[in-house]
């Protein structure tokens, strides 16, 4: 069923498994495959776990629906802005929690300094917009 | 007032609490504000008195926000309308009437503004081919709306509307930061980029030159879209699994989307039906059409970067990247919510317009 790419570096740390329903379907119609399973270490962080997973699986596209995703997961997705593409998966596991610390770096996933807009850009965008209206 | 480089002055502090960007696409209806975003499948079914009474008697309206009353007329929307066998899709400019576009937009506003709002500024997106119908869109939405769902009745007043072509909004979602106060990727401010927006029925494209949209380059191909790929997938799926699906007069659109995306169709008691070949065939045809559009603009040798947008980009991204063979292909938004990128970009343009355009 799932085209799940599992790491060969799995570490047997104490874990808790989180399950999320990731579909717009109603609970009673939920299909078992629409789940996101993540393992969180005692000292870990769910958001960072997701960021880690996304970062390490650069050739796959994750398609999820938002309705049932917790705030923690949404936050992780919001902060993750790397440009890569992944294939559709329906099962996800973070299997290398020890590597999470590499990615718990706010500068790496958010907070770039703002580069101010230029007059040429502003007039180009808004001028063209007005001409087209 | 905040002073920008070379004396360009923008409004630094303004009230954006009534800002909304709406993208009423052929497949999904999407809306976004500074605080919330929402989407639902493009489906709207007016309910007659008897059906509405039946629905109320079953108590469903208290549990589902897919049942709404807009200006006293009850409707089923989204998946609920689809599951009722909705067939009333209006296409093209015929959509832009109050009882259709207006109602869909009003439902979006109801989900986006939990307290109602008396003075809304809306940035609406449209496919380039519908630019001549902006006045119709305005007539369809400007004014007062009363929306009730799950016992919550709220009113909205849409005061002003602005418009932007969908590929332009998608491009700006990449170029601009969240409140349109700066560039998100300064490296894209030089060279030429191509935005390709793969929608339900239409694929649009536009060039960015040094980060600025080239409005004269906007291109629209109404024959290329993800809905046709889904229809083709549905036909081949029925052909392969004729026995399993013979009693299913309606294959649910949400399941078809899953099947096309994953290569496995969720068939209830039959489990997941393997359909990778059918998915590949439907997707590859669309990928070919999209890559034709890419080559029309000059292809890899003329582009410094490519931006993929629209719901189709989410389904086709990996295949397209292989086909386009360009080292700098980006999605117009976060991979998980790529279908929201046009509405998000439109909201950024509303911020830009407010700061520098004097709305």
């Amino acid at each position: 069923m799932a085209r799940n790419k599992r790491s060969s570096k799995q570490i047997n740390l104490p874990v808790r498994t989180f399950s999320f329903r990731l579909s717009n379907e109603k609970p009673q119609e939920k299909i078992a495959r629409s789940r996101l399973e993540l393992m969180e270490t005692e000292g870990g962080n769910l958001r960072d776990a997701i960021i880690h997973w996304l970062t390490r699986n650069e050739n796959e596209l994750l398609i999820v629906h938002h309705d049932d995703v917790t705030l923690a997961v949404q936050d992780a997705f919001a902060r993750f802005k790397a440009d890569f593409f992944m294939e559709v998966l329906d099962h996800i596991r973070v299997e290398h929690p020890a590597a999470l610390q590499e990615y718990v770096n706010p500068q790496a996933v958010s907070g770039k300094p703002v580069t101010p807009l230029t007059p040429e850009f502003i007039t180009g965008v808004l001028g063209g917009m007005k001409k087209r209206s | 007032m905040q002073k920008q480089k070379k004396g360009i002055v923008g409004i630094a502090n303004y009230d954006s609490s009534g800002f909304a960007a709406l993208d009423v696409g052929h497949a999904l209806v999407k809306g976004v504000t500074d605080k919330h975003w929402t989407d639902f499948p493009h489906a709207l079914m007016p309910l007659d008195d008897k059906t509405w009474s039946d629905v109320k008697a079953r108590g469903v309206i208290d549990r589902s926000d897919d049942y709404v009353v807009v200006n006293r007329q009850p409707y089923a929307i989204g998946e609920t309308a689809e599951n009722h066998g909705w067939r009333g899709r209006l296409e093209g400019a015929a959509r832009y009437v109050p009882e259709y576009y207006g109602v869909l937009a009003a439902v979006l506003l109801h989900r986006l503004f939990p307290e109602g709002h008396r003075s809304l500024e809306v940035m609406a997106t449209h496919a380039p081919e519908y630019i001549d119908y902006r006045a119709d869109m305005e007539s369809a939405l400007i004014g007062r709306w009363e929306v009730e769902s799950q016992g919550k009745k709220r009113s909205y007043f849409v005061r002003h509307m602005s418009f932007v072509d969908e590929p332009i909004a998608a491009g700006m979602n990449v170029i601009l930061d969240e409140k349109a106060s700066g560039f998100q990727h300064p490296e894209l401010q030089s060279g030429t980029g191509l935005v390709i927006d793969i929608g339900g029925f239409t694929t649009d494209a536009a060039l960015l030159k040094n980060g600025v949209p080239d409005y004269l380059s906007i291109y629209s191909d109404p024959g290329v879209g993800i809905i046709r790929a889904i229809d083709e997938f549905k036909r081949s799926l029925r052909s392969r699994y004729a026995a399993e699906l013979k009693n299913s007069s309606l294959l649910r659109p949400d399941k078809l989307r899953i099947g096309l995306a994953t290569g496995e169709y969720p068939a209830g008691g039959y489990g997941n039906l393997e359909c990778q070949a059918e998915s590949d065939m439907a997707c590859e045809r669309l990928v070919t059409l999209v890559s034709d559009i890419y080559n029309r603009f000059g292809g890899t040798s003329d582009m410094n970067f490519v931006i993929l947008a629209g719901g189709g980009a989410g389904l086709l991204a990996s295949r397209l990247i292989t086909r386009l063979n360009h080292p700098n292909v980006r999605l117009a938004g976060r991979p998980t919510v790529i279908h929201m990128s046009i509405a998000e970009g439109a909201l950024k343009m509303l911020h830009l317009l407010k700061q520098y355009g004097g709305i």
Side-chain angles (χ1 to χ4, degrees):
Chain A
M1 181 180 71
R3 283 168 282 159
N4 190 7
K5 294 189 176 179
R6 296 197 170 193
S7 165
S8 59
K9 299 178 181 175
Q10 183 165 355
I11 296 174
N12 293 318
L13 294 176
V15 296
R16 288 186 288 150
T17 298
F18 292 80
S19 296
F20 295 94
R21 292 182 291 109
L22 291 177
S23 159
N24 288 326
E25 291 169 301
K26 306 298 180 290
Q28 63 271 25
E29 300 168 347
K30 197 64 59 184
I31 44 181
R33 67 203 301 274
S34 295
R35 292 189 306 158
L36 168 63
E37 292 185 358
L38 290 166
M39 290 189 279
E40 183 184 30
T41 65
E42 289 299 320
N45 173 297
L46 183 56
R47 190 203 77 198
D48 299 326
I50 295 166
I51 290 171
H52 161 74
W53 191 93
L54 292 172
T55 308
R56 284 297 173 89
N57 292 271
E58 296 187 355
N59 297 314
E60 298 171 353
L61 172 61
L62 169 68
I63 291 184
V64 294
H65 301 284
H66 63 95
D67 282 8
D68 301 305
V69 182
T70 66
L71 288 175
V73 179
Q74 288 182 332
D75 185 44
F77 290 150
R79 286 167 182 271
F80 189 79
K81 294 181 178 177
D83 300 312
F84 64 78
F85 309 94
M86 303 170 286
E87 287 192 45
V88 176
L89 285 185
D90 50 23
H91 251 68
I92 302 154
R93 295 174 76 87
V94 174
E95 307 218 30
H96 194 179
L100 289 180
Q101 294 306 315
E102 291 177 44
Y103 299 95
V104 187
N105 175 0
Q107 285 301 321
V109 293
S110 63
K112 293 179 183 174
V114 173
T115 306
L117 304 179
T118 62
E120 294 77 15
F121 175 83
I122 295 165
T123 54
V125 174
L126 297 183
M129 197 174 170
K130 283 177 181 171
K131 280 181 189 171
R132 195 158 164 77
S133 62
Chain B
M1 304 285 275
Q2 180 182 350
K3 208 164 191 180
Q4 300 288 320
K5 279 176 29 178
K6 299 184 185 176
I8 291 287
V9 176
I11 300 171
N13 298 308
Y14 56 93
D15 179 14
S16 61
S17 62
F19 281 13
L22 308 181
D23 174 13
V24 178
H26 282 107
L28 292 172
V29 180
K30 296 139 286 190
V32 61
T33 67
D34 285 343
K35 293 182 178 175
H36 303 288
W37 62 274
T38 187
D39 62 356
F40 57 85
H42 181 143
L44 175 72
M45 175 185 272
L47 302 177
D48 57 30
D49 290 344
K50 181 180 181 309
T51 307
W52 183 237
S53 296
D54 290 345
V55 169
K56 282 199 291 188
R58 284 189 282 127
V60 183
I61 61 171
D62 297 327
R63 300 195 301 270
S64 170
D65 59 359
D66 276 0
Y67 291 103
V68 293
V69 179
V70 181
N71 293 349
R72 299 183 181 178
Q73 167 66 47
Y75 297 88
I77 62 159
E79 286 181 14
T80 299
E82 287 178 337
N83 294 340
H84 276 290
W86 172 71
R87 290 284 189 276
R89 178 187 298 278
L90 295 182
E91 295 180 5
R95 292 175 292 167
Y96 300 138
V97 291
E99 57 271 23
Y100 196 86
Y101 179 86
V103 170
L104 289 170
V107 174
L108 284 174
L109 296 176
H110 186 265
R111 294 185 176 187
L112 291 170
F113 294 94
E115 305 300 329
H117 206 287
R118 292 179 178 178
S119 182
L120 291 166
E121 295 271 357
V122 170
M123 177 67 83
T125 69
H126 61 79
E129 63 176 321
Y130 300 129
I131 187 168
D132 294 333
Y133 300 97
R134 286 179 170 182
D136 293 340
M137 296 170 76
E138 204 165 42
S139 300
L141 185 58
I142 288 278
R144 187 166 186 272
W145 294 86
E146 281 199 348
V147 186
E148 182 176 2
S149 179
Q150 292 181 302
K152 295 166 188 161
K153 188 174 183 179
R154 299 192 280 264
S155 64
Y156 302 89
F157 188 84
V158 179
R159 181 174 63 82
H160 185 265
M161 288 180 77
S162 307
F163 301 93
V164 61
D165 298 273
E166 286 166 1
I168 302 295
M172 289 303 100
N173 196 43
V174 176
I175 296 293
L176 293 167
D177 68 4
E178 189 176 359
K179 294 287 179 66
S181 58
F183 294 124
Q184 192 166 218
H185 301 286
E187 70 276 14
L188 301 184
Q189 295 313 115
S190 61
T192 302
L194 179 65
V195 184
I196 306 175
D197 165 30
I198 307 160
F201 284 116
T202 305
T203 292
D204 307 315
L207 290 172
L208 300 176
K209 293 183 176 173
N210 298 324
V212 179
D214 177 358
Y215 289 89
L216 296 177
S217 73
I218 295 173
Y219 171 81
S220 188
D221 190 334
V224 180
I226 197 70
I227 289 178
R228 294 197 176 180
I230 291 174
D231 285 345
E232 185 177 331
F233 171 70
K234 180 169 66 176
R235 283 194 296 274
S236 53
L237 186 73
R238 275 197 180 282
S239 174
R240 178 172 174 186
Y241 292 104
E244 290 85 349
L245 301 176
K246 70 178 179 182
N247 292 325
S248 302
S249 58
L250 176 72
L251 298 186
R252 282 172 37 186
D254 56 327
K255 288 189 173 187
L256 287 169
R257 285 191 283 267
I258 291 172
L260 184 66
T262 64
E264 293 177 340
Y265 179 82
Y270 289 113
N272 293 325
L273 302 179
E274 193 281 321
C275 52
Q276 191 63 54
E278 288 75 11
S279 168
D280 287 344
M281 185 181 298
C283 288
E284 280 305 309
R285 191 158 301 182
L286 183 53
V287 165
T288 299
L289 293 170
V290 172
S291 62
D292 286 347
I293 294 172
Y294 173 67
N295 291 326
R296 178 192 176 100
F297 278 87
T300 304
S301 62
D302 280 3
M303 297 301 141
N304 297 91
F305 60 92
V306 180
I307 295 171
L308 301 177
L315 287 173
L316 299 177
S318 58
R319 290 179 167 97
L320 268 175
I321 288 167
T322 304
R323 183 71 69 85
L324 298 185
N325 191 30
H326 193 291
N328 193 1
V329 181
R330 298 165 182 249
L331 283 178
R334 299 187 298 277
T336 49
V337 285
I338 180 65
H339 63 290
M340 296 301 302
S341 58
I342 291 169
E344 290 173 342
L347 185 65
K348 291 178 180 181
M349 292 194 77
L350 189 51
H351 279 285
L352 190 73
L353 203 57
K354 184 68 176 181
Q355 291 174 80
Y356 299 100
I359 63 171

